């Protein structure tokens, strides 16, 4: 049986360029948000923009590489929280971690929300395991009566994205501010009847 050829390992200089680009992109996105100019990132890494595009054909591909480990950590966190005897508490804790991850770079939450229904997007694919793990925690909280019975995973992530965006827009937000916003959200999600 024929196997596809294995990807050739990067040469030492190419690997060094890639790591330098990732480091400078991380710094630029923290300082200026995800819209930081890619040309500036390449220049700060000491390479041409063509080298950046050889490693990362799109801005989204660069973001996906930077965020993959964080998304995997969120999926793992959901698995770790699953045995919690209080499914509502487990969901709240995971949601706080989700917000911390999705606000690490200004503008990231908007980009992630935009890719939610775009399977062709690198970010969408990278988020898939994390989203499924969060949906499992939501199912458990819903089954335990801790959130509304009619709340679906996409609605939930949309609402949480709204909280993350609100936190991003507030000039100084810390863990307690995010916790308060989430408490308000979960208080509303816990209602079992709709207003007429």
């Amino acid at each position: 049986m024929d196997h596809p050829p294995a990807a050739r390992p990067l040469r030492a200089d190419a690997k060094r360029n890639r790591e330098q680009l990732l480091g400078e992109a991380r710094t630029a996105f923290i300082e200026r948000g995800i819209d930081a100019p890619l040309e500036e990132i390449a220049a700060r890494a000491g390479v041409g923009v063509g080298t950046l595009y050889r490693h990362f054909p799109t801005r989204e591909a660069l973001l996906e590489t930077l965020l993959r480990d964080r998304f995997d950590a969120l999926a793992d966190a959901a698995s770790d929280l699953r045995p919690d005897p209080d499914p509502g508490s487990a969901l709240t804790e995971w949601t706080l971690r989700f917000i911390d991850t999705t606000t690490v770079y200004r503008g990231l939450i908007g980009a992630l929300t935009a890719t939610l229904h775009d399977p062709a997007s690198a970010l969408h694919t990278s988020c898939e395991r994390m989203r499924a793990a969060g949906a499992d925690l939501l199912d458990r909280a819903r089954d335990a009566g801790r959130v509304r019975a009619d709340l679906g995973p996409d609605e939930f992530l949309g609402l949480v994205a709204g909280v993350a965006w609100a936190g991003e827009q507030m000039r100084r937000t810390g863990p307690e501010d995010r916790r308060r916003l989430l408490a308000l959200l979960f208080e509303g999600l816990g209602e079992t009847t709709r207003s007429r």
Side-chain angles (χ1 to χ4, degrees):
M1 180 165 139
D2 291 336
H3 295 286
R8 287 178 24 197
L10 291 175
R11 294 185 332 251
D13 60 335
K15 185 174 182 181
R16 189 172 48 251
N17 287 344
R18 186 177 192 278
E19 292 306 314
Q20 190 68 20
L21 283 164
L22 287 171
E24 293 300 340
R26 192 175 291 112
T27 300
F29 291 160
I30 287 170
E31 290 173 354
R32 300 182 62 181
I34 65 165
D35 292 326
L38 297 182
E39 294 80 4
E40 180 182 307
I41 291 169
R44 286 167 61 163
V47 300
V49 74
T51 299
L52 183 148
Y53 284 118
R54 270 194 301 282
H55 288 285
F56 309 105
T58 64
R59 180 181 302 272
E60 193 176 87
L62 177 57
L63 274 170
E64 190 278 333
T65 302
L66 286 172
L67 294 166
R68 187 181 309 132
D69 290 344
R70 290 175 178 266
F71 292 154
D72 287 346
L74 269 176
D76 293 341
S79 297
D80 293 344
L81 290 165
R82 195 176 198 290
D84 190 316
D86 181 352
S89 174
L91 182 62
T92 301
E93 178 59 34
W94 183 84
T95 305
L96 279 168
R97 295 182 195 189
F98 175 85
I99 289 175
D100 286 343
T101 296
T102 57
T103 56
V104 66
Y105 308 132
R106 190 174 62 254
L108 176 59
I109 191 63
L112 290 175
T113 303
T115 66
L116 193 61
H117 299 290
D118 181 7
S121 155
L123 284 173
H124 177 93
T125 302
S126 186
C127 290
E128 201 56 42
R129 181 172 165 251
M130 176 265 297
R131 280 198 305 267
D136 179 58
L137 289 180
L138 176 64
D139 288 344
R140 292 187 70 241
R142 197 174 41 230
D143 292 347
R146 295 299 305 272
V147 296
R148 298 171 58 123
D150 62 347
L151 180 65
D154 286 351
E155 286 177 311
F156 176 70
L157 282 179
L159 290 168
V160 172
V163 170
W165 181 86
E168 185 180 85
Q169 301 311 304
M170 297 163 72
R171 293 192 180 237
R172 291 192 320 215
T173 59
E176 289 311 309
D177 300 309
R178 288 190 290 274
R179 212 167 264 283
R180 172 165 167 69
L181 287 173
L182 269 186
L184 293 169
L185 172 65
F186 277 103
E187 187 177 321
L189 293 178
E191 294 177 7
T192 56
T193 58
R194 292 182 184 273
S195 308
R196 299 247 180 231

